[in-house]
């Protein structure tokens, strides 16, 4: 059985396949995206003209606060604490989460982010939070 932690590719029956992650710079370069493309960064990605980024919505309010983003500074040693703090921020903004969930309920979604680190960025946490919300609502909790 393949290790799913190493890849976002999953079978069509796996709910994980509904929310994909693609770096904004890769999307601009033509990387494959799936369904609605949502930019989830508070700041526009440097060096990309708005006309050059294929996206359906910019959900800047769903990104970590400026102070949390600056504190984290993409330091892998701070990853666990960053994840907890970002989840806490998201828990205080149910309307913003709901906006993203509306897109997810319509079909596949690609979260676009600017971070260079594919293993330590807020889009990973956001994807997990969205999936947890989708699963809890499907389960009736």
């Amino acid at each position: 059985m393949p290790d799913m932690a190493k890849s976002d590719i999953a079978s069509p029956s796996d709910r994980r396949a509904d929310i994909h992650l693609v770096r904004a710079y890769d999307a601009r370069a033509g990387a494959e995206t799936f369904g609605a493309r949502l930019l989830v960064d508070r700041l526009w990605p440097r060096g990309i003209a708005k006309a050059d980024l294929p996206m359906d919505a910019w959900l800047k309010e769903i990104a970590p606060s400026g102070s949390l983003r600056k504190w984290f500074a993409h330091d892998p040693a701070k990853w666990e604490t960053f994840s907890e703090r970002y989840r806490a921020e998201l828990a205080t903004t149910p309307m913003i989460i709901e906006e993203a969930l509306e897109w997810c309920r319509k079909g596949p979604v690609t979260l676009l982010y600017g971070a260079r680190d594919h293993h330590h960025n807020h889009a990973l946490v956001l994807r997990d939070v969205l999936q947890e919300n989708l699963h809890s609502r499907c389960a009736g909790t």
Side-chain angles (χ1 to χ4, degrees):
M1 186 169 193
D3 182 3
M4 291 309 294
K6 293 182 181 176
S7 172
D8 271 345
I9 301 171
S11 70
S13 63
D14 185 350
R15 293 288 292 171
R16 283 192 162 287
D18 293 339
I19 303 174
H20 305 269
L21 304 175
V22 173
R23 191 164 182 250
Y25 299 92
D26 296 337
R28 176 188 62 178
E32 186 173 15
T33 59
F34 302 90
R37 296 156 302 197
L38 310 176
L39 179 61
V40 294
D41 281 353
R42 190 168 297 274
L43 304 174
W44 189 262
R46 274 187 205 173
I48 298 180
K50 289 185 180 175
D52 292 341
L53 183 61
M55 66 165 196
D56 297 291
W58 182 11
L59 306 180
K60 59 178 119 176
E61 295 301 318
I62 208 165
S65 65
S67 60
L68 180 58
R69 179 180 54 82
K70 289 173 187 172
W71 171 83
F72 176 45
H74 296 282
D75 179 353
K78 296 179 178 177
W79 174 245
E80 292 298 322
T81 303
F82 168 80
S83 297
E84 292 168 8
R85 290 180 182 179
Y86 181 40
R87 281 177 170 274
E89 284 186 357
L90 290 171
T92 66
T93 58
M95 296 300 292
I96 295 168
I97 293 293
E98 185 57 35
E99 183 178 357
L101 288 169
E102 286 177 22
W103 285 98
C104 294
R105 289 185 197 107
K106 293 176 186 176
V109 165
T110 298
L111 302 180
L112 302 173
Y113 65 94
R116 288 186 183 108
D117 188 338
H118 296 283
H119 303 288
H120 304 97
N121 68 71
H122 74 284
L124 292 164
V125 178
L126 178 58
R127 177 192 61 192
D128 292 347
V129 167
L130 293 173
Q131 288 174 333
E132 290 162 10
N133 275 271
L134 289 169
H135 287 289
S136 69
R137 299 219 178 156
C138 289
T141 58

